[in-house]
DNA sequence: ATGAAAGCGCTAACAG
DNA sequence: CTGTTAGCGCTTTCAT
């Protein structure tokens, strides 16, 4: 339990070092002025007393708070990753970060308000779901950086990866392997999903595969991916794993051709997809190749080993902090839109399509589906 | 971009409402005193000006900050879940939460310091890795609540689930289904893993199954679970999924009997385990039953459907906030140790063991392994 | 180079 | 019930 004698104040250090509080303040913040002798005395006194500055007080006194506010979805591992990098980048520039998690009882508005209460000097919004007008309104009063999605809002800095390009990379990779029937599992409504879907469509067009386009409904999590598996393989028994799958060639209804490859909105969706496909006896990548998006830690697991598109979170983080500090420290006033190039990380869930009529179903299963 | 005219201050509201700043302060904080007329005038003025209190200033002025600091591992979905519930519980009691994430560049010490800089009135540490002496030292200066693990540290409040009981529930459930060879996949070194392992050993003893004890090395994530699969099934080809598994009965080396059930340190480990087992052609729960720990969101996914032990995060969160506020508001001075009873959530990864000599390998695969 | 003093914006006594 | 006033702990002119 905290000892009653409240923690030492600047004044206490000053008294002990036999100098003024002003000197102590300067020394402790490493600012030029005080002589070497004073410095030493102050540092010693501070050490002896175990002094730590009260940020609340210094923030009040200073105009600046040096605080950057970040809103994030606690459940998103991509956000978690970004946060780590944001933290590091902010650190280097002498800023501190306040994170305001979105939860089911705490939407983006509240999260932002909380940040403003802390007097954050800029708001970094991870994958904000606010509408463009809402963002623009916010930006009238505060510095705001939208991270990870496009935003057509005046005054808002944007840092994002070219998602359409990213999906394009995935599609091209698959096409390069020889796939022609490449499906796409859509994401949850929103600007991010829109751009990725566009990327898919455009890539198919470039490759002359538009006829093969197949966008199936999806979502943002494993559940959605799992559900999508049924749309891709509508002939599988819809529940239970105890019924042998019928020969997929005998299919009626559903897509006339089964895709030999699937690009998913993100890794979580890809994961749900993988899991369901494999349970249904579909080999990945033997029967179907799968590509995710985000290159999340889980994709890197040896057991998952998912080919995925990386948004380069470190680069995004650095760019975002940069955007904020340029406004705060360098007086930039026009909005910027930083677009980073995603890159594909090829792993084990993609390989050439099965030879016509033959399945490359994993031999370890000892089964062939057709 | 922020407009230069700094935001309205209390004084501005007072002037506009033609009352004193004191009255405004009281009204805005909903404290008794001001007359209805004053209230209305103030509220209107505040609304007109778009006033929002500067928390920094009020914290300074007030003795109290009403801030609770939380350290957490951003990567842990269990922590994420707890955080949501902590947030809600704190809210109800008029406290605000500052979260300080641990990252690879930011260990627990730094995270705590950051919280102290914010003048948090209590520290809630999620699954702290600090040693007991370190915790005790911290507790001399601050209110600290350790959440999710046991702690033998003077002055530290502890809120945890009875992990040994939890693992016991899992083992008993399996034994009740008829399993006798029940293995345990250990967690990462630390107090949590120790207690869970103990729970496993004691449960076996109670059930007269000590001879069947098998603790295999594990860890905290999917990777570890995947690796553990090989220790449980040492005869599986160690890499690649393209070699049909040999008849496991012909095993030489490794455990003489294959366990028919496995309890994993946590859900992530269980997940890695599940994935690897299934890829190796082992049916779950047909050949091997698997139980996880944490009842994390992923365990609940239809595609995963993992039997797991729930630590009841909501209850933990409430108890933790309670512990903190009792100290702060009710003047409690002795440490408390709140132990919550975990409960088992039975899902699809557990079923009776295979009949002797027969495999219940999933029929949907159309294969039998032996 | 150093110290005295005036705030930062708000809260809490204390008068009135 | 309302207004006045003295701080909260630190930073920052501005003299010295």
């Amino acid at each position: 339990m905290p000892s009653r004698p409240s923690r030492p104040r600047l004044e206490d250090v000053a008294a002990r070092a036999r100098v003024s509080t002003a000197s102590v303040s300067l020394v402790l913040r490493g600012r030029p002025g005080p002589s070497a002798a004073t410095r030493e005395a102050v540092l010693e006194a501070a050490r002896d007393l175990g002094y730590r500055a009260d940020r609340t007080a210094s923030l009040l006194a200073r105009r600046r708070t040096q605080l950057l506010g970040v809103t994030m979805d606690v459940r998103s591992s991509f956000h978690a990753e970004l946060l780590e990098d944001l933290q590091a980048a902010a650190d280097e520039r002498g800023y501190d970060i306040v994170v305001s998690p979105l939860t089911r009882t705490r939407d983006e508005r509240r999260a932002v308000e909380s940040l403003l209460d802390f007097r954050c000097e800029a708001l970094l919004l991870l994958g904000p779901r606010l509408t463009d007008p809402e963002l623009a309104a916010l930006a009238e009063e505060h510095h705001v950086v939208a991270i990870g999605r496009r935003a057509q809002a005046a005054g808002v800095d944007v840092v994002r990866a070219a998602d359409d390009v990213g999906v394009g990379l995935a599609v091209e990779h698959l096409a390069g392997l020889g796939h022609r029937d490449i499906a796409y599992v859509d994401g949850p409504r929103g600007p991010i999903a829109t751009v990725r879907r566009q990327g898919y469509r455009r890539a198919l067009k470039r490759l002359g595969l538009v006829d093969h386009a197949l966008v199936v409904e999806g979502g943002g999590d494993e559940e959605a991916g799992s559900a999508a598996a049924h749309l891709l393989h509508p002939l599988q028994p819809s529940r239970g794993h105890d019924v042998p799958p019928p020969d997929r060639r005998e299919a009626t209804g559903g897509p006339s051709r089964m895709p030999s490859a699937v690009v998913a909105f993100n890794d979580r969706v890809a994961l749900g997809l993988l899991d369901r496909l494999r349970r249904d006896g579909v080999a990945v990548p033997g029967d179907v190749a799968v590509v995710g998006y985000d290159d999340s830690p889980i994709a890197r697991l040896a057991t998952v080993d998912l080919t995925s598109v990386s948004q380069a979170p470190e680069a995004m983080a650095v760019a975002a902090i940069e955007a904020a500090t340029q406004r705060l420290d360098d007086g930039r006033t026009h909005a910027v839109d930083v677009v980073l190039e995603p890159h594909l990380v090829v792993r084990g869930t993609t390989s050439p399509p099965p030879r016509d009529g033959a399945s490359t179903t994993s031999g370890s299963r000892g089964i062939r589906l057709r």
Side-chain angles (χ1 to χ4, degrees), chain A:
Chain A
M1 64 210 70
S3 41
R4 272 304 109 225
S6 61
R7 56 197 229 175
R9 296 163 308 149
L10 201 61
E11 199 180 315
D12 302 323
V13 179
R16 191 172 227 275
R18 308 186 157 285
V19 296
S20 72
T21 59
S23 301
V24 177
S25 176
L26 292 176
V27 171
L28 260 29
R29 283 177 302 137
R31 317 216 53 147
S35 68
T38 312
R39 296 203 105 75
E40 193 160 338
V42 168
L43 291 175
E44 188 182 325
R47 203 177 324 111
D48 293 351
L49 266 42
Y51 174 81
R52 22 178 47 245
D54 180 337
R55 111 171 291 141
T56 313
S58 38
L59 294 194
L60 217 215
R62 208 175 340 173
R63 285 297 220 152
R64 308 282 314 269
T65 65
Q66 305 273 101
L67 239 38
L68 303 179
V70 176
T71 62
M72 65 174 292
D73 174 0
V74 227
R75 319 220 91 128
S76 161
S77 62
F78 181 59
H79 285 188
E81 213 172 346
L82 268 175
L83 181 62
E84 296 207 6
D85 297 323
L86 286 170
Q87 196 90 251
D91 237 55
E92 274 177 22
R93 287 171 180 68
Y95 281 84
D96 229 311
I97 277 183
V98 181
V99 345
S100 187
L102 306 178
T103 67
R104 49 183 183 292
T105 58
R106 216 157 159 283
D107 67 358
E108 212 156 2
R109 303 212 69 80
R110 277 205 57 190
V112 165
E113 304 222 315
S114 163
L115 293 177
L116 294 178
D117 284 342
F118 278 103
R119 297 186 83 187
C120 291
E121 301 185 288
L123 303 172
L124 310 190
L125 313 179
L126 304 196
R129 297 186 147 284
L130 294 175
T131 63
D132 285 348
E134 287 175 318
L135 283 175
L138 237 195
E140 270 172 32
E141 298 286 338
H142 313 277
H143 294 306
V144 6
V145 183
I147 302 174
R149 65 158 262 206
R150 157 174 282 155
Q152 300 284 13
V156 176
D157 288 334
V158 176
V159 174
R160 61 192 169 100
D163 277 3
D164 47 351
V165 173
V167 174
L169 289 176
V171 172
E172 277 157 15
H173 164 61
L174 292 166
L177 288 173
H179 291 272
R180 303 187 62 73
D181 293 296
I182 304 170
Y184 177 71
V185 179
D186 208 3
R189 304 232 147 282
I192 302 185
T194 304
V195 172
R196 292 191 189 170
R197 198 184 320 115
Q198 258 174 25
Y200 167 72
R201 291 233 164 82
R202 289 193 190 137
L204 286 192
K205 190 165 296 174
R206 275 200 306 280
L207 296 162
L209 297 174
V210 269
D211 299 345
H212 303 249
L214 172 60
V215 174
V216 315
E217 200 186 324
D221 58 14
E222 294 84 354
E223 204 77 72
S226 166
H230 290 297
L231 299 175
L232 293 168
H233 295 264
L235 315 165
Q236 301 292 334
S238 63
R239 32 189 70 237
H241 327 123
D242 298 306
V243 185
D247 181 331
R248 281 150 56 214
R249 288 286 154 137
E250 291 170 3
T252 64
S256 53
R257 262 183 305 228
M258 296 311 302
S260 64
V262 183
V263 177
F265 170 72
N266 68 15
D267 285 350
R268 296 186 64 182
V269 170
L271 228 60
L273 195 59
L274 278 178
D275 186 61
R276 173 57 74 195
L277 288 175
R278 284 177 171 152
R279 290 216 208 185
D280 286 348
V282 178
V284 176
D287 294 319
V288 175
V290 173
V291 182
Y293 208 105
D294 278 352
D295 186 33
S296 56
I298 200 148
R300 295 171 213 148
L301 290 178
T303 44
V304 175
D305 200 38
L306 174 68
T307 294
S308 188
V309 178
S310 169
Q311 306 198 47
E314 337 74 46
M316 289 183 77
V318 170
I321 296 294
E322 186 78 7
T325 56
Q326 279 178 358
R327 292 204 111 123
L328 295 170
D329 301 330
D330 308 342
R332 174 168 60 70
T333 57
H334 62 276
V336 296
D337 186 1
V338 180
V339 181
L340 299 167
E341 289 297 306
H343 61 272
L344 186 73
V345 181
V346 177
R347 297 207 182 82
T349 55
T350 49
S351 68
R355 281 153 295 144
D356 199 32
S359 167
T360 59
T361 297
S362 165
S364 77
R365 283 246 173 62
I367 57 171
R368 318 197 109 216
L369 286 174
R370 44 179 170 172

